[in-house]
Amino acid sequence: MSTIERAEVFVASPGRNFVTLRITTSDGVTGLGDATLNGRELAVAAYLREHVVPLLVGRDPARIEDTWQYFYRGAYWRRGPVTMTAIAAVDTALWDIKGKVAGLPVYQLLGGRSRDAVMVYAHASGTDVPSLLDDVARFRDLGYRAVRAQAAVPDVGGTYGVRKGSVYEPAASALPDEQPWSTEAYLDFAPTYLEAVRDRFGFDFHLLHDVHHRLTPIEAARFGKRVEDCRLFWMEDPTPAEDQEAFRLIRQHTTTPIAVGEALTSIWDVQRLITEQLIDYVRTTVVHAGGITHLRRIFDLAALHQVRTGSHGATDLSPVTLAAAVHLDVAVPNFGIQEYMEHAPETMEVFRSGVRFADGALQPSEAPGLGVEYDEKAAERFPYEGRYLPVARRLDGSVHDW
Ligand code: EZ4
Ligand code: CO
């Protein structure tokens, strides 16, 4: 029997920080898992190195479900981003190994293709409305069929979702950047630029918007109602989702579809949202919601309730997560859309991925396993540097949700 011989945790910063797990079997087969938790990277690295790797060695790499249960139930302490990201890394690496042993791409192990390609959405942004419109035009020219639009709120200053260089990177400072927030200014302004996008480009593409947990339920209801004529594909994270019941109030007021889940880590965190049809798209991901095994379970629950998938795919999720996401996306019956932002060139020097973009959609690699390789030597040129996500403060100085 093949056994797990070695598991190594790599921490590197090729363009941004990534934590990567590589499992090697006694037959010399390797598998990769992403373990990146933006701003809390070293907590997951330590969890893996100190508490998971010693228990992995000697186990049967073929027993993916059993290993998942062992690390979830066996820890006694449940859920939470650090634990679930660590379990995800192990799970993803074991699927990679299983694919390589079988000689099949992971999507074939998940039941094969349900669709020809995986539609993605791009991130258009601007410091004002004209620059946002230029950015939307650019993504339309690149062939994207779905675009998320965000613009900085005038007179308030920094906001989430607005790109500074060629790559969107919110975790840019050694200490958390403190950014001002005004709900009143946002509610006045955001609908106007979404309307400007529709006025200029029409309706033959999908338009998305991320509220990034900034509104209360009744404010979100007002926002959703106000932008109904823009026919958004979704409004994302309209209010924080610790309170799943909060979404009922939004639902009572608006037909603007709702997407939630990029910061949630388990099926229990979305159970009510899904079973009571309080959302339309679930945004949980491979890396933060327990790997391919657990995400598939969430997606199957969602399918029962006509909730579609829309996995998080910002650049702080490594190319290993993107590859795994595309294998799942192409296979599940209830796929909706996949978030996609191109990684920095340095990132792609370290992670060699077979995922391909064409016509506004991604294709999984046809190589056995996930189809991603990690270049350990190249990674050594990019040492870890502590970086934090920003913190938002209302104009009176109190902390708001970022
Ligand atoms: O702010 O990934 O929809 N995408 C997002 C992201 C998140 C970051 C947090 O690390 O909201 O850009
Ligand atoms: Co988001």
Side-chain angles (χ1 to χ4, degrees), residues 338-374:
Q338 171 68 46
E339 182 178 16
Y340 174 56
M341 300 165 79
E342 266 185 86
H343 284 102
E346 300 93 310
T347 305
M348 301 319 289
E349 279 174 44
V350 170
F351 296 89
R352 308 235 174 78
S353 173
V355 171
R356 292 286 165 263
F357 174 85
D359 302 325
L362 293 176
Q363 285 294 347
S365 165
E366 291 296 335
L370 293 172
V372 186
E373 275 166 48
Y374 188 76

Side-chain angles (χ1 to χ4, degrees), residues 38 148 168 210 212 236 262 283 312 314 316 339 389 402:
N38 200 348
R148 181 186 103 156
Y168 174 59
D210 192 349
H212 225 264
E236 177 181 332
E262 68 178 46
R283 281 182 46 73
H312 188 204
D316 54 321
E339 182 178 16
L389 287 168
W402 184 76

Side-chain angles (χ1 to χ4, degrees), residues 2-3 5-6 23-31 100:
S2 163
T3 56
E5 200 169 80
R6 198 160 71 241
I23 296 179
T24 305
T25 72
S26 53
D27 295 334
V29 181
T30 59
K100 288 181 182 174

Side-chain angles (χ1 to χ4, degrees), residues 153 156 180-188 214 393-395 400:
V153 181
V156 176
W181 175 253
S182 161
T183 295
E184 294 78 4
Y186 167 80
L187 281 174
D188 282 346
R214 299 290 174 100
R393 285 191 190 274
R394 297 182 200 101
L395 298 183
H400 196 60

Side-chain angles (χ1 to χ4, degrees), residues 34-192:
D34 180 15
T36 309
L37 184 62
N38 200 348
R40 296 293 185 271
E41 295 88 1
L42 300 184
V44 185
Y47 190 110
L48 283 169
R49 282 180 179 138
E50 305 298 327
H51 304 294
V52 173
V53 170
L55 311 184
L56 267 179
V57 174
R59 294 182 67 86
D60 179 354
R63 297 194 179 203
I64 299 179
E65 180 69 45
D66 183 67
T67 300
W68 196 97
Q69 299 294 336
Y70 181 82
F71 284 109
Y72 184 80
R73 298 183 193 216
Y76 183 66
W77 311 107
R78 300 194 175 217
R79 304 192 278 170
V82 175
T83 299
M84 295 306 277
T85 302
I87 294 175
V90 172
D91 184 81
T92 308
L94 294 182
W95 278 100
D96 194 15
I97 288 169
K98 193 176 281 295
K100 288 181 182 174
V101 170
L104 292 170
V106 166
Y107 77 83
Q108 293 289 10
L109 306 180
L110 298 170
R113 278 178 191 269
S114 286
R115 58 191 48 76
D116 301 332
V118 168
M119 180 174 66
V120 295
Y121 70 91
H123 279 222
S125 69
T127 48
D128 53 22
V129 179
S131 60
L132 168 64
L133 295 178
D134 287 348
D135 215 31
V136 173
R138 190 169 68 85
F139 284 115
R140 298 279 290 130
D141 291 345
L142 288 169
Y144 284 89
R145 288 176 261 154
V147 179
R148 181 186 103 156
Q150 312 289 144
V153 181
D155 305 325
V156 176
T159 188
Y160 63 95
V162 178
R163 211 175 51 243
K164 289 196 189 86
S166 58
V167 176
Y168 174 59
E169 182 48 80
S173 50
L175 290 173
D177 185 25
E178 301 214 349
Q179 300 179 346
W181 175 253
S182 161
T183 295
E184 294 78 4
Y186 167 80
L187 281 174
D188 282 346
F189 176 59
T192 67

